[in-house]
């Protein structure tokens, strides 16, 4: 199987960040004042989230979809388009920490179809009302979209 994609056709998934074979990242303490919340399919956003966690001495929480995304790029694009036209994915958030402890929330997401990845959109839809009074910063990653617009 050829795992290399033509240049400008998105990141190759390492198969881990779809959480098919690996538990999601959960690093929650009692004293951190910053929480990094992120979604990563290919590992690019996760890499940036880990840097932020280390530099900011932050807690970290990886968002995961109840139904993991495929490792195949084209299959992920197809599913993402269907979700955008219908309903965003369900998230597994049983162990989401209480936001009261944190002064700053750092939200990380890849860019899908010129917007935040569907799981991050769902997080904001589902939990956005709980973020009032918090400082919020964001970071995004993009593995390429051809020549762009």
């Amino acid at each position: 199987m050829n795992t290399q994609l033509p240049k400008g056709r998105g990141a190759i998934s390492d198969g881990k960040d779809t959480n098919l074979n690996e538990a999601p990242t959960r690093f929650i303490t009692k004293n951190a004042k910053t929480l990094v919340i992120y979604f990563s399919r290919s590992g690019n956003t996760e890499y940036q989230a880990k840097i932020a966690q280390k530099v900011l001495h932050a807690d970290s929480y990886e968002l995961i979809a109840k139904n993991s995304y495929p490792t195949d790029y084209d299959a992920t694009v197809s599913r993402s388009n269907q979700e955008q036209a219908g309903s965003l994915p369900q998230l597994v958030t049983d162990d989401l920490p209480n936001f009261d402890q944190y002064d700053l929330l750092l939200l990380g997401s890849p860019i899908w179809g010129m917007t935040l990845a569907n799981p991050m959109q769902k997080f904001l839809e589902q939990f956005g009302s709980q973020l009032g009074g918090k400082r919020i910063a964001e970071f995004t990653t993009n593995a390429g979209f051809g020549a762009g617009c």
Side-chain angles (χ1 to χ4, degrees), residues 12-66:
I12 299 169
S13 173
D14 61 12
K16 295 178 183 173
D17 301 296
T18 58
N19 299 109
L20 295 173
N21 301 312
E22 183 176 289
T25 299
R26 300 286 188 266
F27 182 78
I28 306 299
T29 66
K30 293 182 180 181
N31 299 320
K33 295 298 179 189
T34 300
L35 174 62
V36 179
I37 301 172
Y38 70 95
F39 171 77
S40 183
R41 178 190 156 273
S42 68
N44 292 334
T45 308
E46 181 174 62
Y47 179 77
Q48 297 297 319
K50 287 181 178 182
I51 292 171
Q53 177 191 6
K54 183 177 180 180
V55 169
L56 299 172
H57 306 285
D59 285 355
S60 186
Y61 186 90
E62 180 183 8
L63 295 175
I64 58 168
K66 186 175 182 179

Side-chain angles (χ1 to χ4, degrees), residues 96-100 105 124 126-134 136:
L96 187 66
N98 186 318
F99 300 135
D100 291 343
L105 299 177
L124 291 170
Q126 193 171 345
F127 296 101
S129 64
Q130 297 178 30
L131 306 181
K134 300 293 178 188
I136 298 176

